[in-house]
Amino acid sequence: MADSPSSESNQVIKDDIKVAPGEHLEKGISNKSHGDINTNLEARIRNPLEGIPRDELMSRVEQFAHEKNLTEHLPLLRKGALVAQNPDDIDNFKGAEALTQEEKDALHFEIEHKWRMPTKLFLTIATCSIGAAVQGWDQTGTNGANIFFPDIYGIGDSSTRSKILLGLVNAGPYIGSAFIGCWLSDPINNLWGRRGVIFLSAHFCLWPVIGSAFCHTWPQQLACRLLMGIGMGVKASTVPIYAAENSPAAIRGALVMSWQMWTAFGIFLGTAFNLAVFNVDERYNWRLMLGAPFLPAVPLILLIYLCPESPRWYMKKNRYTEAWNSLVRLRHHKLQVARDIFYIHSQLELEFQLLKDSSYAQRFGELFTIPRVRRATLAAFTVMIAQQMCGINIIAFYSTTVFRDAGQSDFQALLASFGFGLVNWLFAFPAFWTIDTFGRRSLLLFTFPQMTWTLLAAGLCTLLDQGTARTALVALFVYLFCAFYSPGEGPVPFTYSAEVFPLSHREVGMGFSVATCLFWAAVLGMTFPFLLESLGVVGAFGLYAGFNVCAFIMIFFWVPETKQRTLEELDWIFAVPTKKFVRYQLTEALPWWFKRWVLWQRGAKLRPLYQFQEKEEERKVKGGGGGEGGKVR
């Protein structure tokens, strides 16, 4: 890691966050702190070229072009560096670096038509979407097969042994992901690049899946599903990064969020296929359900090597000529290529200076030892484990079993599961418009109470007498539960976890977050057969309704809002001690909410927790002083 920050760096943090009298940020923040990266690196990485005189900038560009064998592109690189430094001043460049009208039009087109992507970028996004769909379909193979294969494997009775083994088979992919796959992502990425990792992981989602259709014993099935899990873990930790690194900034956030949406689409495809093959001979239908998820893995394997490799990965390996060629395929105009390659290079220079002595193990340990990073780890852990606590995967894994135990026929249960998959996918779309407006934390705090009562209502409806009304009501409340989940706890965890960590710890932090999510998915998969057996549908749903309440409380106290914040502002947010954040929620936010929404006091005011100071020059322009004011963001 970088050297410990100076007292001046620490003062920057204390000056940037207003703290109540008598309080301090946290003991130990000055020793082995992340203060340097929190303030200087993150702020500079947003634009590492800011403030460099033009002559010096041109000198850097020329040196860069010679060192990286890009001299043939030197005139474009000069223009690109100026655009990267002053993107809002492109009409005022003078001399040889003045932009042509064609170049200006290309830059304006990028902003005004951000979704009109080059063919190769569109192919990259489509391929990443297929990778997410593979993930979703892999999860639903056993959903329909659960009503057939336990008896074939001799684990269909109600004994403790059978329940453990059934849960183990269902949890196999998540065990493989959480304990092996997620942790292999970093070293394999280093060796083979993003495309290589996705190609390898697709094979793990192909051959073991086909093998699972031919298994005759539960140990064989478990082995196939463990291998499949390794591929799932590596892929889930890489595909979002690959999509983000290849995309222009204007659409990067939506692409990160789209991972969950297309995973939901894969779940929908799986439930649809399970329904389609239900009437096939019972000796084969469950085998088709288990083996069918190999289908989207085939185009993933074929398409991934038609996609460009991540330019950032090439640059990390000092392969700049290949990085240039990759960017040419991902951008409309070569000026955009020149701008992006020099800008990314400038970022990487800062990273390498600060992290050249940092190992993967050290960065993992710092997730829990550096105060600012530890708070991000706690928040990411909370939103990831909440995805399992909310109960969505008891539907994704066992919905067919749940509906059948609720009194429906096998076909009706599969039909209800199909409806669940459709709702899960369709209601993910609203997150595109709400995740950056309504906010991550706000979405979670709104949807978790709704998931609580809908899940509880679905369980209570199973107490009704057998009949059409009971079937319809159970399905209705399960669908409502899913409709609240899909724009909230569905897309938020992966988006939130990808943004809360500082750049220095983003990859290892994301790996830890994904491993957390999939580990608890494995725990859920193993324990739910016991819950269903001992508590019944109503008891199991009631228990997870209670878990929703617990998750809501954890989110309320541990998860700050991050919408529309720059990376610099997120450093300020996560520099506030957890105990101060908790105290604010109890003494300020909760009383305000009660006054505003229970007592309907429209004049109730909420004192903001974060008070961001204005820049000195902004205060001078506005005639402000240096008092306790500040810019509330």
Side-chain angles (χ1 to χ4, degrees):
M1 286 301 299
D3 293 336
S4 297
S6 66
S7 59
E8 182 180 353
S9 298
N10 294 319
Q11 187 61 41
V12 170
I13 295 180
K14 291 184 180 181
D15 287 344
D16 280 340
I17 304 175
K18 296 284 188 181
V19 184
E23 293 184 339
H24 52 82
L25 287 179
E26 182 162 319
K27 183 179 180 181
I29 196 168
S30 62
N31 184 24
K32 197 175 173 55
S33 170
H34 215 50
D36 246 6
I37 295 179
N38 286 347
T39 54
N40 297 332
L41 176 61
E42 291 287 18
R44 290 179 63 198
I45 254 187
R46 212 152 29 99
N47 192 342
L49 306 176
E50 184 178 354
I52 300 175
R54 179 165 178 154
D55 290 345
E56 182 182 342
L57 182 64
M58 293 299 103
S59 176
R60 290 190 186 187
V61 170
E62 189 165 349
Q63 181 181 1
F64 164 74
H66 283 91
E67 287 180 355
K68 308 303 180 184
N69 297 317
L70 295 174
T71 51
E72 61 182 300
H73 307 298
L74 185 55
L76 267 177
L77 285 169
R78 290 194 180 102
K79 293 182 178 182
L82 287 173
V83 174
Q85 185 185 50
N86 299 295
D88 298 324
D89 198 35
I90 61 175
D91 293 323
N92 299 319
F93 298 159
K94 305 297 182 182
E97 286 74 42
L99 302 188
T100 66
Q101 189 59 46
E102 178 195 4
E103 292 167 340
K104 294 178 184 178
D105 291 342
L107 295 176
H108 289 305
F109 183 88
E110 178 185 41
I111 297 172
E112 296 168 1
H113 305 282
K114 60 184 179 182
W115 288 105
R116 294 188 187 177
M117 298 169 286
T119 302
K120 288 297 183 180
L121 180 55
F122 179 83
L123 178 64
T124 298
I125 294 171
T127 303
C128 290
S129 299
I130 292 172
V134 171
Q135 199 88 353
W137 199 340
D138 283 339
Q139 295 178 24
T140 56
T142 57
N143 189 313
N146 271 332
I147 61 179
F148 299 105
F149 77 76
D151 291 332
I152 303 296
Y153 290 159
I155 55 175
D157 56 67
S158 59
S159 67
T160 300
R161 173 183 176 275
S162 294
K163 295 299 178 184
I164 292 175
L165 295 179
L166 177 61
L168 191 62
V169 169
N170 278 295
Y174 304 96
I175 296 173
S177 297
F179 288 100
I180 303 175
C182 291
W183 306 110
L184 288 178
S185 175
D186 187 89
I188 298 178
N189 265 283
N190 186 55
L191 290 174
W192 295 339
R194 314 300 190 223
R195 293 190 309 163
V197 169
I198 296 172
F199 181 78
L200 176 67
S201 67
H203 279 284
F204 275 88
C205 295
L206 173 63
W207 307 113
V209 172
I210 293 176
S212 68
F214 295 93
C215 293
H216 294 282
T217 64
W218 69 262
Q220 294 172 354
Q221 188 66 245
L222 177 61
C224 286
R225 291 180 66 77
L226 286 170
L227 289 172
M228 180 176 71
I230 294 175
M232 288 172 59
V234 174
K235 179 157 52 63
S237 301
T238 301
V239 170
I241 294 174
Y242 175 64
E245 288 182 344
N246 279 14
S247 303
I251 56 175
R252 187 169 296 141
L255 288 178
V256 174
M257 197 223 77
S258 69
W259 168 261
Q260 180 64 29
M261 187 183 74
W262 292 105
T263 299
F265 179 68
I267 292 174
F268 162 67
L269 285 179
T271 57
F273 184 87
N274 292 348
L275 183 64
V277 301
F278 174 78
N279 289 321
V280 175
D281 191 313
E282 288 191 8
R283 292 175 297 174
Y284 308 113
N285 60 356
W286 63 274
R287 294 186 182 276
L288 293 173
M289 294 175 187
L290 290 173
F294 89 90
L295 291 171
V298 174
L300 180 62
I301 289 174
L302 297 176
L303 290 175
I304 189 59
Y305 270 98
L306 298 177
C307 300
E309 179 56 272
S310 164
R312 187 181 178 93
W313 184 83
Y314 276 137
M315 294 168 72
K316 285 183 177 179
K317 296 296 182 179
N318 202 30
R319 295 160 60 176
Y320 277 76
T321 303
E322 292 162 287
W324 177 277
N325 294 332
S326 181
L327 273 170
V328 166
R329 302 164 71 191
L330 293 167
R331 300 293 183 264
H332 284 293
H333 197 279
K334 286 188 177 181
L335 177 61
Q336 297 167 331
V337 175
R339 173 200 62 192
D340 290 350
I341 199 168
F342 188 72
Y343 184 82
I344 295 171
H345 168 75
S346 302
Q347 291 179 333
L348 289 177
E349 278 190 320
L350 292 176
E351 290 182 46
F352 291 154
Q353 290 171 10
L354 288 167
L355 305 176
K356 59 186 177 182
D357 296 326
S358 175
S359 69
Y360 181 66
Q362 286 174 324
R363 292 195 299 276
F364 176 76
E366 288 165 354
L367 293 178
F368 310 97
T369 58
I370 294 176
R372 179 261 183 265
V373 185
R374 184 174 65 239
R375 297 182 196 107
T377 303
L378 175 62
F381 169 83
T382 299
V383 296
M384 281 296 194
I385 196 174
Q387 192 171 79
Q388 306 309 323
M389 294 175 68
C390 75
I392 188 64
N393 280 333
I394 68 175
I395 311 297
F397 299 169
Y398 293 105
S399 63
T400 303
T401 304
V402 167
F403 285 125
R404 187 181 64 171
D405 289 355
Q408 301 174 32
S409 68
D410 288 348
F411 181 77
Q412 287 175 326
L414 279 173
L415 187 61
S417 293
F418 168 76
F420 156 77
L422 180 61
V423 171
N424 186 35
W425 177 49
L426 291 179
F427 278 85
F429 282 92
F432 273 114
W433 295 276
T434 57
I435 198 166
D436 282 318
T437 54
F438 198 52
R440 286 84 154 134
R441 173 182 167 88
S442 299
L443 275 173
L444 296 179
L445 292 179
F446 171 74
T447 55
F448 263 93
Q450 318 312 320
M451 289 191 289
T452 300
W453 73 261
T454 50
L455 198 60
L456 186 60
L460 291 174
C461 286
T462 63
L463 299 177
L464 299 173
D465 293 334
Q466 295 267 4
T468 304
R470 169 176 168 170
T471 299
L473 285 173
V474 171
L476 171 64
F477 285 114
V478 167
Y479 294 164
L480 285 174
F481 165 81
C482 186
F484 285 118
Y485 163 84
S486 292
E489 183 59 23
V492 167
F494 279 84
T495 302
Y496 194 90
S497 299
E499 67 188 2
V500 296
F501 293 98
L503 187 61
S504 56
H505 292 72
R506 193 157 293 150
E507 289 185 356
V508 66
M510 187 65 174
F512 168 77
S513 301
V514 175
T516 296
C517 182
L518 298 182
F519 169 76
W520 288 103
V523 171
L524 184 150
M526 294 180 65
T527 57
F528 190 70
F530 287 99
L531 293 175
L532 200 59
E533 176 72 17
S534 58
L535 301 179
V537 176
V538 62
F541 276 29
L543 178 64
Y544 275 92
F547 286 161
N548 272 273
V549 175
C550 294
F552 174 86
I553 295 172
M554 292 164 61
I555 291 165
F556 183 76
F557 286 124
W558 293 342
V559 178
E561 180 59 80
T562 61
K563 71 164 182 173
Q564 299 177 359
R565 300 292 189 188
T566 67
L567 294 179
E568 183 182 41
E569 289 172 338
L570 291 185
D571 285 325
W572 294 337
I573 287 171
F574 286 101
V576 173
T578 301
K579 62 181 181 181
K580 178 177 176 62
F581 182 80
V582 170
R583 184 163 58 248
Y584 173 82
Q585 302 305 322
L586 278 176
T587 61
E588 299 283 349
L590 189 59
W592 169 83
W593 182 90
F594 185 82
K595 293 175 183 177
R596 178 65 184 85
W597 300 109
V598 177
L599 302 180
W600 291 100
Q601 297 180 6
R602 296 185 179 275
K605 300 294 183 182
L606 177 63
R607 179 186 66 84
L609 172 61
Y610 306 109
Q611 302 282 341
F612 294 100
Q613 289 185 329
E614 297 175 320
K615 293 179 181 179
E616 183 66 29
E617 59 269 21
E618 292 175 342
R619 288 202 299 269
K620 289 179 179 178
V621 169
K622 296 178 182 179
E628 286 297 316
K631 181 174 59 177
V632 179
R633 296 289 299 274

